[in-house]
Amino acid sequence: MLEHILGIRMEEHLPAGALGPFPVALDIRAYLVAYGAGLVLVDTGMDPSGSSIDAALKGGGADWSDVRQIVLTHGHLDHIGGLHHARSSAPSAVVRASPLEMIDGAQPLTDGAIIGSLRAFATPGHTPGHMSLYDEDRSILLVGDYLGVIDGKLVRAPARFTSDRAQTERSLRLLLELRGARMLFAHGPEIDRPWDALDELLMRG
Ligand SMILES: [Zn+2]
Ligand SMILES: [Zn+2]
């Protein structure tokens, strides 16, 4: 059985016109977070089949019955596409998201809520109810879609998918409280010295 936080990488190829004039390969990540005897699934990716999550569970010596909670950082389609599959595979798992994300059947997730080993950290701006999740014992921050990594560089989410730019900047500064934690992203791989990269990003404006 899993004992840590396992990243699930899902690559989605979007055709020209979906996100812009060119086809795009999106690197989407969901996470399985072990706590006590169970697992928390953070986000579900875009693929309705959920096959990457099935494979990750199997690879970790676990199965859907171990998934006790499903937490959604926000309601964008690239992170909730696998939700139906997750719900039907783990019918007793509690689904949680901010009420502001208006996800049918989700229990409310509020700032400061504790889910397994994770504490929810309201970081509105990307979407009104976006939540980041902090694992204090492991000192790991699941940033969600605030920040991502493209070609090794820390970047903000694209402005046109950001509901409130000023609020996003305030939320980014809130995260600085957690300086020193490892950062894991909903798009892109982990990088070294993410906080230095964030300082630079904020300085560049
Ligand atoms: Zn998003
Ligand atoms: Zn996203």
Side-chain angles (χ1 to χ4, degrees), residues 54 64-65 84-91:
D54 295 346
W64 279 105
S65 64
H84 182 74
H85 174 71
R87 269 190 168 132
S88 50
S89 306

Side-chain angles (χ1 to χ4, degrees), residues 159-175:
R160 68 200 157 107
F161 300 114
T162 297
S163 64
D164 186 327
R165 188 69 200 264
Q167 203 175 36
T168 300
E169 293 303 304
R170 284 197 294 277
S171 290
L172 280 176
R173 283 173 168 80
L174 269 183
L175 293 182

Side-chain angles (χ1 to χ4, degrees), residues 5-198:
I5 296 187
L6 177 68
I8 307 169
R9 180 173 187 272
M10 295 169 265
E11 191 167 297
E12 294 288 341
H13 294 268
L14 304 184
L19 282 185
F22 304 106
V24 179
L26 265 186
D27 171 335
I28 302 171
R29 314 257 170 160
Y31 293 92
L32 286 166
V33 180
Y35 77 101
L39 297 172
V40 179
L41 173 65
V42 177
D43 289 336
T44 64
M46 190 168 189
D47 174 10
S49 84
S51 58
S52 304
I53 307 173
D54 295 346
L57 283 166
K58 201 168 168 197
D63 62 45
W64 279 105
S65 64
D66 299 310
V67 176
R68 307 286 157 81
Q69 310 223 38
I70 299 166
V71 179
L72 303 166
T73 55
H74 65 299
H76 280 164
L77 190 62
D78 50 338
H79 308 288
I80 63 165
L83 181 58
H84 182 74
H85 174 71
R87 269 190 168 132
S88 50
S89 306
S92 58
V94 179
V95 178
R96 287 186 198 280
S98 163
L100 297 172
E101 300 294 299
M102 309 219 270
I103 293 163
D104 271 353
Q107 302 286 316
L109 177 65
T110 50
D111 187 45
I114 303 289
I115 308 101
S117 59
L118 301 170
R119 178 159 56 90
F121 214 103
T123 43
H126 176 68
T127 59
H130 186 286
M131 291 282 178
S132 300
L133 299 157
Y134 180 52
D135 190 317
E136 196 159 7
D137 292 343
R138 297 179 174 113
S139 189
I140 292 178
L141 175 64
L142 302 177
V143 183
D145 253 4
Y146 260 84
L147 297 164
V149 172
I150 296 177
D151 298 332
K153 288 249 180 285
L154 191 70
V155 295
R156 291 178 172 87
R160 68 200 157 107
F161 300 114
T162 297
S163 64
D164 186 327
R165 188 69 200 264
Q167 203 175 36
T168 300
E169 293 303 304
R170 284 197 294 277
S171 290
L172 280 176
R173 283 173 168 80
L174 269 183
L175 293 182
L176 294 173
E177 263 180 48
L178 303 175
R179 181 180 288 278
R182 281 172 61 194
M183 271 191 215
L184 299 176
F185 306 96
H187 295 283
E190 190 174 2
I191 52 169
D192 290 334
R193 298 155 48 98
W195 297 94
D196 292 347
L198 179 55

